[in-house]
Amino acid sequence: MTDAQQTERTLILVKPDGIRRGLAGEVLRRVEAKGYLLVAVDLRTATTELLEEHYAEHAGKPFFDSLVEFMASGPVLAVVAEGNRVIEGFRVLAGTTEPTTAAPGSIRGDLGRDWGLGVTHNLVHGSDSPESAAREIALWFPVL
Ligand code: DAT
Ligand code: MG
């Protein structure tokens, strides 16, 4: 990065398992404690259409339908957070995809596990690149 002052935005989702378990506040607490700014926060149940678009990169994979079904199974907290290198920073806060092996200290490592359901309940989504962040923020928050 050439411009040290360049700020970034990322899309964070607290997934339906996180909402059902009452962990939305804990996720927001970690984002804020890390020093990132909350730009938008909205609790909503996403449509299948939105989720298929959100996860378009995974269309056709064996887990795609169950992933979309899980994500539509209840409300999610959609969040836009801002700060220098927030895209990478939130991915580190979240931890790796599988909660069983995600590092302790991370959201998925501290708060998640394999529940034996055949679908990964890993509490949060975070954009994985500036291109993904721009696409996902436009999808979830067209007004921003
Ligand atoms: P991440 O959420 O860490 O960015 P991803 O984008 O590769 O991971 O996948 C999106 C979600 O899909 C992930 O959070 C859980 C689920 N998923 C990914 N790979 C999977 C797999 N091999 N089997 C079942 N679910 C999977
Ligand atoms: Mg991803």
Side-chain angles (χ1 to χ4, degrees):
M1 186 168 296
T2 52
D3 180 1
Q5 295 307 309
Q6 185 180 336
T7 194
E8 273 183 351
R9 288 181 173 184
T10 195
L11 181 84
I12 297 167
L13 300 175
V14 181
K15 298 184 179 185
D17 57 325
I19 301 299
R20 279 195 279 269
R21 292 179 57 207
L23 294 170
E26 172 66 15
V27 171
L28 292 181
R29 188 195 65 74
R30 289 177 182 226
V31 170
E32 290 193 298
K34 181 75 173 175
Y36 299 127
L37 184 70
L38 301 179
V39 174
V41 175
D42 185 41
L43 185 74
R44 74 175 92 149
T45 302
T47 63
T48 300
E49 291 69 29
L50 172 61
L51 293 165
E52 286 177 349
E53 193 62 36
H54 174 78
Y55 279 126
E57 66 172 303
H58 298 302
K61 294 183 184 173
F63 59 86
F64 183 72
D65 288 349
S66 55
L67 172 64
V68 169
E69 184 183 10
F70 159 58
M71 291 294 291
S73 68
V76 303
L77 193 73
V79 178
V80 176
E82 183 174 274
N84 292 0
R85 299 180 67 189
V86 67
I87 297 168
E88 180 183 11
F90 181 75
R91 296 279 294 184
V92 174
L93 283 185
T96 50
T97 305
E98 275 196 65
T100 300
T101 54
S106 67
I107 292 166
R108 289 162 166 174
D110 283 352
L111 308 174
R113 72 168 173 97
D114 187 338
W115 300 92
L117 300 169
V119 56
T120 306
H121 284 194
N122 59 7
L123 296 156
V124 290
H125 165 83
S127 307
D128 64 6
S129 68
E131 296 72 29
S132 299
R135 189 182 73 81
E136 293 170 4
I137 290 168
L139 203 53
W140 288 83
F141 292 99
V143 293
L144 288 184

